[in-house]
Amino acid sequence: MIEIATSPTTTTLVIAGDLDLAERDQFPEIAARVVGLRRQLLVIDMCRVTFMDSTGAAFLISLADAGRKRGGATVIRGADERDLFVLEVCGAMELFRVDDEHSCEPSAPDSGFAVMTSRDEDGSPLSHRDASTA
């Protein structure tokens, strides 16, 4: 899922889930919307990205390149080392500024409940297979 938020000077893309070949059908429409907004700064929030392949990297590169051609800048925040490595392998890191100071919010708030496991008579945890037959 990709959400677009805007301010007078910034477009923010919030990406959740996989950014890969399976999601490529939505990339042209999103790119057209982002480019059409013509903001000077594009912030790509990758805090909730679970996986990115070279197709996802190509999408981000195309957004950053379009912004650069208009004199804008692209900032990536919340990307993990694996995602940055993919962009580096693609030779595209010079298109991005990396926000090293951004701190992603936890993906799910702590409910305060403990996760309980099934146990057998002697108190040993059961595997999922054992628990389903117990």
Side-chain angles (χ1 to χ4, degrees):
M1 177 179 68
I2 301 175
E3 296 177 2
I4 301 172
T6 61
S7 75
T9 59
T10 305
T11 298
T12 303
L13 242 70
V14 178
I15 305 170
D18 294 347
L19 191 61
D20 61 2
L21 184 64
E23 302 299 320
R24 75 170 186 246
D25 291 342
Q26 66 180 323
F27 295 166
E29 178 185 342
I30 292 169
R33 289 181 61 200
V34 168
V35 170
L37 291 169
R38 306 187 64 79
R39 300 300 197 270
Q40 284 300 108
L41 180 62
L42 172 61
V43 176
I44 301 172
D45 185 316
M46 297 183 64
C47 288
R48 296 186 294 159
V49 171
T50 53
F51 174 77
M52 180 175 75
D53 68 4
S54 60
T55 305
F59 169 62
L60 298 183
I61 291 166
S62 70
L63 293 175
D65 190 49
R68 185 183 64 159
K69 288 178 180 175
R70 289 190 328 272
T74 302
V75 174
I76 291 181
R77 70 181 183 201
D80 65 21
E81 293 299 318
R82 179 189 67 231
D83 298 329
L84 295 175
F85 177 75
V86 172
L87 292 170
E88 185 177 340
V89 167
C90 292
M93 284 307 295
E94 73 277 356
L95 293 172
F96 301 95
R97 285 190 261 168
V98 178
D99 181 352
D100 293 326
E101 296 179 11
H102 178 75
S103 177
C104 299
E105 294 180 19
S107 58
D110 184 8
S111 67
F113 292 99
V115 176
M116 300 300 291
T117 59
S118 298
R119 298 187 180 275
D120 65 12
E121 293 81 28
D122 71 352
S124 302
L126 295 174
S127 69
H128 289 292
R129 183 178 52 79
D130 293 335
S132 66
T133 60

